[in-house]
Amino acid sequence: MNSLLVSSIIGASAGIVGTGLGGMLAFFIDNPSKRLLSTLLSFSSGLMIAVVCFDLLPKSFEIGSFACGIMGIILGIAVIIFCEHLIYRNMESKGKNELLKTGILLTVGIALHNLPEGLAIGSGFTAYESYGLGLSIVIALHDIPEGVAMATPLRAGGMDKLKVFMLTLLSGVPTGLGAFIGYLLGGISPMFISICLAFAGGAMLYITCAELIPESVELYKGRISSLGLLFGVILGIVISSMM
């Protein structure tokens, strides 16, 4: 039971610290120009695309199979479209802007993504404690760009800095829940973990391509947003190569 508690706490800490560090960006965003905002959004988009395409999905294909991964991606896209419909419908009457809606949608996607990461941590602890601990550190580093991607549209949409930071922290909590479940199940099916990872990847890929990038281009038509996207992808590849 003690080991179960430790793995759950470490798993939660990995998610909370990772996204929280990225979310600290909110404290530095104050009345940004459209050009800066567009650059930040496109940079965040690049980070997310790289993390999904060079880390999450390859890991999903490796753990399970190509078919499992594709099925997970399609499910993730379908679920996030449904969530998008519910969120947009409920917020329209409150007059919320598009950036704030996008930020909330991205928060949902990242929270969904953190659950299978927690499953991996918990399963790792059942094998070797050192492996579970090492995986937790890697996942915490991996979650930093996700916190950045989440904080940018929320802050730009007018949400209070402290609220944005708290949301990024809360989005890491599912990692702890996943670690708890993963430890209990121990030899959890690789196919299940594969589908979960691909599911989260599909959800975040949809949000990035359908929400963040179009919003970035609409805010500023110059070349800087494209450069931000490219630099984000390059940094994301570097981060993924360290995993």
Side-chain angles (χ1 to χ4, degrees), residues 60 63-64 116 119-120 123 186 188-199:
S60 169
I63 292 172
L119 288 171
S123 300
I188 190 168
S189 167
M191 189 177 295
F192 177 73
I193 295 178
S194 171
I195 291 174
C196 284
L197 288 171
F199 177 93

Side-chain angles (χ1 to χ4, degrees), residues 82-131:
F82 177 72
C83 291
E84 179 183 45
H85 172 71
L86 291 180
I87 291 170
Y88 276 36
R89 187 179 64 182
N90 291 334
M91 293 182 73
E92 274 173 5
S93 59
K94 299 178 183 179
K96 301 295 184 184
N97 62 52
E98 293 299 315
L99 279 171
L100 190 56
K101 294 174 185 176
T102 300
I104 291 173
L105 195 63
L106 191 56
T107 302
V108 173
I110 289 174
L112 287 171
H113 157 232
N114 283 336
L115 183 64
E117 284 191 343
L119 288 171
I121 291 173
S123 300
F125 268 102
T126 61
Y128 301 102
E129 188 171 321
S130 58
Y131 177 69

Side-chain angles (χ1 to χ4, degrees), residues 42-231:
S42 58
F43 179 75
S44 301
S45 300
L47 281 173
M48 294 292 286
I49 288 172
V51 167
V52 170
C53 295
F54 295 98
D55 182 21
L56 270 185
L57 297 184
K59 201 169 290 181
S60 169
F61 298 148
E62 180 186 343
I63 292 172
S65 66
F66 183 76
C68 284
I70 295 299
M71 182 170 67
I73 292 169
I74 294 170
L75 284 172
I77 292 171
V79 169
I80 213 68
I81 288 174
F82 177 72
C83 291
E84 179 183 45
H85 172 71
L86 291 180
I87 291 170
Y88 276 36
R89 187 179 64 182
N90 291 334
M91 293 182 73
E92 274 173 5
S93 59
K94 299 178 183 179
K96 301 295 184 184
N97 62 52
E98 293 299 315
L99 279 171
L100 190 56
K101 294 174 185 176
T102 300
I104 291 173
L105 195 63
L106 191 56
T107 302
V108 173
I110 289 174
L112 287 171
H113 157 232
N114 283 336
L115 183 64
E117 284 191 343
L119 288 171
I121 291 173
S123 300
F125 268 102
T126 61
Y128 301 102
E129 188 171 321
S130 58
Y131 177 69
L133 187 59
L135 192 59
S136 301
I137 294 171
V138 167
I139 285 174
L141 292 172
H142 162 273
D143 283 349
I144 294 174
E146 294 173 5
V148 172
M150 188 194 313
T152 303
L154 287 173
R155 183 69 190 113
M159 185 176 282
D160 179 73
K161 294 179 181 180
L162 186 58
K163 286 183 179 179
V164 173
F165 180 61
M166 293 304 296
L167 265 181
T168 59
L169 293 178
L170 287 173
S171 70
V173 172
T175 315
L177 176 62
F180 179 82
I181 296 171
Y183 190 93
L184 282 179
L185 297 179
I188 190 168
S189 167
M191 189 177 295
F192 177 73
I193 295 178
S194 171
I195 291 174
C196 284
L197 288 171
F199 177 93
M204 289 190 291
L205 205 56
Y206 174 82
I207 295 165
T208 302
C209 296
E211 301 286 343
L212 289 179
I213 294 176
E215 191 68 43
S216 170
V217 173
E218 187 176 332
L219 280 169
Y220 189 77
K221 305 296 183 183
R223 188 176 294 169
I224 190 70
S225 62
S226 299
L227 291 175
L229 179 67
L230 292 172
F231 279 119

